[in-house]
Amino acid sequence: MSRPSQPKLTTADHNGVSVIQSQAHASSSSSLPASVAGLQQVPQLVPANPSTGGGKALPPSKMKKPPADKDSEEYRQRRERNNLAVKKSRMRSKQKAMDTQQRVNELKEENERLEAKIKLLSKELSVLKDLFLEHAHNLADNVQPPAGAESSSPAPNNTSTNGQ
C-alpha cells in the first residue's frame, strides 16, 4: 500500500497573521474525493507570534500604563479620586451594616410581640375550651333523666294535638 505524499505547506505573513496553505500533489489529489481535496486547500490562520495569546487586544483597563511620577499632578488627582471613592465605599458599607442591624432589631421586636400574642391567644383558647366543655357537660347532665325519676317526667307525646 502506498501512502499519499504529504501536502506542501506554504506560509505568508499578512498584517501579523501567518497564512498556512496546503497544496497537495496533483497525483495524490486525483486519488482523493473532491470534497477532501477542497478541504486541503482552505487557508489556515495562525498568529504570527503565538505568545501574544491569540492576537486578542487587551481592554484599556488591562493595559499596563507607565508608572506615573508620584510628584505629578495627574498622580495626585488619581490618588485623591481614589481616596474619595474608598471613603464613599466605606460609608456605604457602614450604612448598609447599620440598616441591617436596625432591621434585625425591628424583626426581634415584632417576633416578641407575636410570641406574646400567641401566648395570649393560647390562654384565651384554653379558657374557651374549658367553658365549652363545662357547658357541654351541663347540657349532658340536663338531658339525661336522673335515675329513678323516669315515672315523674312526662312521657313524650308522639301524637299531634291539632284538635283532631
Side-chain angles (χ1 to χ4, degrees):
M1 265 189 143
S2 69
R3 233 175 129 201
S5 62
Q6 294 292 330
K8 292 182 185 176
L9 296 179
T10 60
T11 61
D13 190 12
H14 298 285
N15 296 328
V17 177
S18 296
V19 178
I20 302 174
Q21 294 179 334
S22 63
Q23 298 171 344
H25 290 296
S27 62
S28 65
S29 66
S30 62
S31 64
L32 294 174
S35 61
V36 175
L39 289 176
Q40 289 180 339
Q41 295 174 3
V42 174
Q44 297 176 350
L45 297 178
V46 178
N49 185 359
S51 65
T52 61
K56 292 183 181 178
L58 292 176
S61 62
K62 299 289 183 181
M63 296 175 82
K64 291 213 174 192
K65 298 175 186 173
D69 184 21
K70 291 188 178 188
D71 296 331
S72 72
E73 182 67 20
E74 177 192 359
Y75 178 79
R76 189 185 61 73
Q77 287 176 350
R78 282 194 351 232
R79 291 301 312 145
E80 190 173 321
R81 282 195 314 261
N82 182 260
N83 289 342
L84 288 174
V86 166
K87 194 178 290 187
K88 189 176 177 182
S89 173
R90 289 177 182 158
M91 286 176 57
R92 278 193 309 258
S93 176
K94 285 180 185 178
Q95 184 63 44
K96 187 176 179 181
M98 289 181 355
D99 291 347
T100 302
Q101 186 60 46
Q102 181 180 355
R103 180 75 173 136
V104 165
N105 292 338
E106 290 171 359
L107 291 173
K108 281 182 179 179
E109 289 175 10
E110 183 181 3
N111 194 27
E112 288 173 3
R113 282 194 305 269
L114 291 172
E115 286 178 355
K117 190 173 183 177
I118 288 171
K119 284 182 182 179
L120 179 66
L121 291 172
S122 295
K123 286 181 182 178
E124 185 177 348
L125 177 65
S126 177
V127 168
L128 291 173
K129 276 184 181 178
D130 290 344
L131 284 174
F132 176 75
L133 291 175
E134 183 179 330
H135 181 70
H137 182 66
N138 286 340
L139 283 177
D141 287 345
N142 288 339
V143 170
Q144 294 176 352
E150 293 175 358
S151 60
S152 64
S153 65
N157 190 358
N158 289 340
T159 62
S160 60
T161 55
N162 294 2
Q164 292 178 0

